[in-house]
Amino acid sequence: MSKILKIAIVGTGGIANGKHMPSLATLDNVEQVAFVDIIEDKAKLAAKEYGTPDAKVYTDYREMLKDPSIDVVQVCTPNDAHADIAIAALEAGKHVMSEKPMAKTAADAKRMLDASIKTGKKLTVGYNNRFRPDSQHLKKVVDAGTLGEIYFAKAHAIRRRAVPTWGVFLDEEKQGGGPLIDIGTHALDLTLWMMNNYEPKSVMGASYHKLSQRENAANAWGPWDPKKFTVEDSAFGFITMKNGATIILESSWALNTLNVDEAKCSLSGTEGGADMIGGLRINGEQHSRLYTQEVDLKAGGVAFYSGKTENDSTLEARMWIDAILNDTDPVVLPQQAFIVSQILEAIYDSAKSGKAIYFD
């Protein structure tokens, strides 16, 4: 009989209910056996819907970690709690998936990485946009050398008016920032992964609080409370890599623009280019003529599971569990997620100081 992994969910709020628990529920080689939340009723509801008949409920993750039968911990809490929970779980002998970003600060992300290396337990971060069909196909295009050397890229995370007004999204103390660390982190991770370039040299950043203090503002989820809006409404970064490549990162929850794209990237290489604007497009030059190729993503499967019709979150969960069972590297390596956190923090630091941040 193949091993059934026993999983604990820490934090049973929006991201756990919207992604982790329903995705894990589609797998036949896992059981969700423990649910932790500081609000006990939320954990009980999660256990009733997704748990095994004997699933346990906790309000303190430390108590849950005493259970030696638990194999995997999924950390779905606000950003400021990721590191302490993940490190304690790793040290307790559990494999860990942390929601994005890896941590509130780069220092905390480094502590998580170090704990994973020290314990030998697997650690990954929930960058599920890598698992979309367009991302999977573009990664194969890039890895085949079709674009040549990618020396310029844009990471897109722009919303016109879509400020999350629930939970702690607007609380800088809990989250560490606003759209940059929330959705900009997805776009940056996707871009670095496509380029396979994790060696930043310097960063210039700018952040803005231009629309956050408006009363009764138009917003997808209703007006925000300006008094609670303590994070930036927009942030932008110019990133130079050690090999000379440059990346422009744009992120916003509220910006007067019609050019909106989230968790997308545009790539320019020596042999061709690609973007995810309105679908996946590959461009280049062939026989002295320019071409643009629009990729049909409706047919066929994905890179890892040809023929399956899983969504990105389900594929993310399956690949994570397979990495544990087969003792292979997870798709999202903690070393990669740490670099993302370093760059995000450098953008914030540069925005505050008005100076470039150098990594050496």
Side-chain angles (χ1 to χ4, degrees):
M1 180 180 293
S2 60
K3 180 174 174 58
I4 303 296
L5 293 179
K6 297 184 181 299
I7 298 183
I9 308 293
V10 182
T12 57
I15 196 65
N17 281 279
K19 185 179 84 164
H20 290 261
M21 296 188 295
S23 296
L24 290 167
T26 67
L27 307 181
D28 56 11
N29 50 4
V30 304
E31 292 178 343
Q32 299 180 65
V33 301
F35 299 83
V36 185
D37 201 287
I38 57 174
I39 301 174
E40 189 174 18
D41 286 345
K42 289 171 62 177
K44 287 181 177 178
L45 283 174
K48 182 178 180 180
E49 183 167 2
Y50 295 106
T52 56
D54 59 347
K56 296 179 180 179
V57 168
Y58 302 85
T59 56
D60 188 338
Y61 69 89
R62 299 172 188 84
E63 290 300 310
M64 175 273 294
L65 291 177
K66 294 177 183 178
D67 184 346
S69 72
I70 291 172
D71 303 297
V72 184
V73 172
Q74 310 271 125
V75 181
C76 310
T77 64
N79 298 346
D80 67 337
H82 288 184
D84 287 346
I85 297 170
I87 292 167
L90 290 165
E91 291 177 343
K94 323 298 185 186
H95 303 290
V96 175
M97 171 181 274
S98 171
E99 246 313 308
K100 60 79 196 170
M102 190 169 182
K104 176 182 170 181
T105 67
D108 276 349
K110 183 62 164 59
R111 290 199 298 125
M112 292 167 67
L113 173 59
D114 290 345
S116 175
I117 294 170
K118 180 180 178 181
T119 61
K121 293 299 175 179
K122 297 187 190 299
L123 171 64
T124 195
V125 176
Y127 286 118
N128 56 284
N129 287 285
R130 292 193 190 189
F131 300 87
R132 299 190 323 242
D134 57 342
S135 302
Q136 290 283 308
H137 185 82
L138 181 53
K139 182 61 173 172
K140 289 196 289 185
V141 169
V142 171
D143 288 349
T146 305
L147 305 188
E149 177 196 349
I150 301 171
Y151 58 91
F152 176 66
K154 289 184 178 180
H156 309 283
I158 296 291
R159 298 175 183 174
R160 185 183 181 189
R161 290 290 191 284
V163 178
T165 53
W166 63 91
V168 296
F169 280 102
L170 304 182
D171 186 339
E172 185 173 15
E173 183 62 30
K174 291 286 187 183
Q175 293 293 89
L180 178 62
I181 203 169
D182 176 40
I183 58 176
T185 190
H186 274 302
L188 179 58
D189 171 74
L190 197 61
T191 305
L192 296 176
W193 184 56
M194 290 297 175
M195 298 173 74
N196 192 26
N197 191 340
Y198 292 92
E199 295 189 331
K201 178 182 178 182
S202 66
V203 166
M204 279 292 296
S207 63
Y208 297 95
H209 298 264
K210 296 295 187 182
L211 305 182
S212 61
Q213 299 309 301
R214 298 198 174 184
E215 300 279 354
N216 299 313
N219 189 47
W221 295 292
W224 56 80
D225 182 351
K227 297 184 182 65
K228 296 180 179 178
F229 205 141
T230 61
V231 297
E232 81 280 0
D233 52 45
S234 300
F236 308 91
F238 186 86
I239 306 150
T240 302
M241 310 301 284
K242 288 182 180 178
N243 72 342
T246 55
I247 301 169
I248 294 173
L249 171 58
E250 50 186 32
S251 65
S252 183
W253 285 337
L255 190 70
N256 288 321
T257 181
L258 298 178
N259 297 320
V260 293
D261 276 293
E262 189 171 329
K264 304 286 182 65
C265 67
S266 301
L267 309 172
S268 297
T270 53
E271 303 302 320
D275 66 58
M276 297 168 154
I277 310 302
L280 179 57
R281 303 183 299 182
I282 314 296
N283 69 81
E285 177 184 351
Q286 196 172 60
H287 306 304
S288 301
R289 298 289 183 179
L290 299 177
Y291 73 86
T292 303
Q293 177 188 67
E294 296 184 2
V295 181
D296 181 2
L297 295 167
K298 295 178 183 178
V302 295
F304 298 105
Y305 286 90
S306 180
K308 291 186 179 290
T309 56
E310 298 166 305
N311 63 30
D312 55 299
S313 297
T314 303
L315 180 59
E316 175 189 41
R318 185 182 297 280
M319 292 300 297
W320 164 232
I321 297 305
D322 281 358
I324 296 170
L325 292 174
N326 299 324
D327 194 21
T328 57
D329 286 337
V331 175
V332 180
L333 297 173
Q335 293 88 344
Q336 297 169 338
F338 168 56
I339 298 298
V340 173
S341 290
Q342 278 192 307
I343 293 174
L344 295 176
E345 187 165 279
I347 292 173
Y348 282 126
D349 289 346
S350 174
K352 291 175 183 177
S353 69
K355 299 177 181 179
I357 304 297
Y358 292 90
F359 285 82
D360 289 334

